[in-house]
């Protein structure tokens, strides 16, 4: 029970990956802070997921989201949905492993030919510890991973601040010339991000992911009751806010560092 108590954090860690770790700072550097406006929808997401979805899942005698679909739509509906889930997650995990391997190769100065071998080793290690330890091993490694990633982000901000001689040296005081102009709302295909678009996009993503994704639902089901699952989801949202704000600061600090 002590290990599964870390389940408060593992849902957040599950949905955070190398994609987030590289993507958010890159977004802030290239396109500016408009994307962070999605944080304002999380107080709306919490009651929907926490008090509508989670109690419903927790009272059912199931072990996966797809058993619920089988009750409603039959075996074919369950197989179709689980097949889509496995396919999308395989692509998602392959992309994470590839990006991590490529990042290591770039940082260590190794030839790109090593990306494949590094990817294979990481994939094999992940399969082995999951097979040997089950959900407990996944929970433990997810929590450790989140601490490492978050610590690395804080260390980056600290090193840049020390190198440049202070926080003010890298904090943006004006809208950067290469950032697209902030747009409140637009339906034009050429407008990449708008305020309303960011809010609607992230609201839909959080509700859909937290209410249907097997990776989220299995975390709820591995807690003791609906109250514990709801607490785990709340911690996930809070941790997401803190982490994305931190990664946003990483982006700002790196932009200031290389401009300097």
């Amino acid at each position: 029970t002590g290990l599964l108590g870390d389940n408060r954090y593992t849902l957040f860690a599950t949905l955070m990956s190398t994609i987030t770790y590289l993507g958010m700072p890159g977004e802030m550097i290239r396109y500016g802070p408009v994307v962070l406006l999605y944080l304002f929808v999380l107080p709306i997401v919490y009651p929907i997921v926490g008090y509508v979805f989670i109690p419903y899942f927790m009272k059912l005698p199931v072990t996966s989201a797809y058993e619920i679909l089988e009750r409603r739509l039959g075996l074919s509906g369950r197989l179709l949905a689980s097949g889509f889930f496995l396919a999308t997650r395989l692509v998602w995990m392959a992309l994470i492993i590839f990006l991590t391997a490529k990042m290591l190769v770039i940082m260590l100065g190794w030839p790109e030919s090593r990306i494949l071998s590094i990817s294979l080793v990481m994939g094999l290690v992940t399969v082995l510890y999951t097979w040997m330890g089950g959900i407990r091993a996944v929970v433990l490694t997810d929590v450790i991973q989140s601490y490492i990633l978050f610590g690395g982000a804080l260390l980056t901000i600290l090193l840049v601040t020390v190198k440049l001689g202070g926080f003010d040296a890298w904090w943006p005081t004006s809208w950067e010339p290469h950032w697209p102009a902030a747009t409140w709302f637009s339906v034009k295909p050429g407008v990449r991000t708008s305020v309303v678009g960011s809010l609607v996009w992230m609201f839909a993503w959080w509700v859909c992911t937290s209410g249907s994704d097997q990776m989220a639902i299995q975390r709820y089901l591995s807690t003791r009751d609906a109250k514990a699952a709801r607490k785990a989801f709340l911690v996930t949202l809070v941790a997401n806010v803190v982490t994305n704000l931190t990664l946003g600061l990483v982006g700002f600090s790196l932009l200031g560092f290389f401009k300097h």
Side-chain angles (χ1 to χ4, degrees), residues 37 39 56 64 88 137 167 174 196:
L37 292 175
L39 299 175
Y56 175 74
S64 76
T88 54
F167 182 84
S174 61
V196 175

Side-chain angles (χ1 to χ4, degrees), residues 10 27 43 49 65-66 73 80 84 96 98 123-124 139 150-151 200 209 217 227 229 231-232 237 251 256:
T10 189
E27 176 76 18
V49 176
Y66 308 108
L73 304 176
L80 179 64
F84 274 125
I96 290 173
F98 171 77
L124 180 61
V139 167
F150 191 71
V200 173
T209 300
I217 292 176
K227 182 178 180 181
K231 186 176 181 179
L237 293 182

Side-chain angles (χ1 to χ4, degrees), residues 120-147:
L120 291 173
V121 170
M122 287 193 297
L124 180 61
V125 170
T126 303
V127 170
L128 284 176
Y129 76 67
T130 304
W131 171 60
M132 296 174 65
I135 187 65
R136 288 179 176 270
V138 174
V139 167
L140 179 61
T141 52
D142 278 350
V143 173
I144 293 174
Q145 165 190 286
S146 66
Y147 287 148

Side-chain angles (χ1 to χ4, degrees), residues 66-146:
Y66 308 108
E67 292 178 60
I68 303 172
L69 286 179
E70 185 176 12
R71 289 166 171 245
R72 297 275 184 166
L73 304 176
L75 181 60
S76 59
R78 174 179 178 175
L79 293 176
L80 179 64
S82 59
F84 274 125
F85 169 78
L86 291 174
T88 54
R89 284 305 177 184
L90 282 173
V91 173
W92 178 70
M93 288 186 289
L95 180 60
I96 290 173
I97 291 174
F98 171 77
L99 288 176
T100 305
K102 186 171 184 178
M103 181 173 61
L104 289 173
V105 164
I106 293 174
M107 289 193 302
L108 297 174
W110 292 347
E112 290 196 3
S113 58
R114 294 192 180 184
I115 292 178
L116 178 58
S117 58
I118 295 174
S119 299
L120 291 173
V121 170
M122 287 193 297
L124 180 61
V125 170
T126 303
V127 170
L128 284 176
Y129 76 67
T130 304
W131 171 60
M132 296 174 65
I135 187 65
R136 288 179 176 270
V138 174
V139 167
L140 179 61
T141 52
D142 278 350
V143 173
I144 293 174
Q145 165 190 286
S146 66

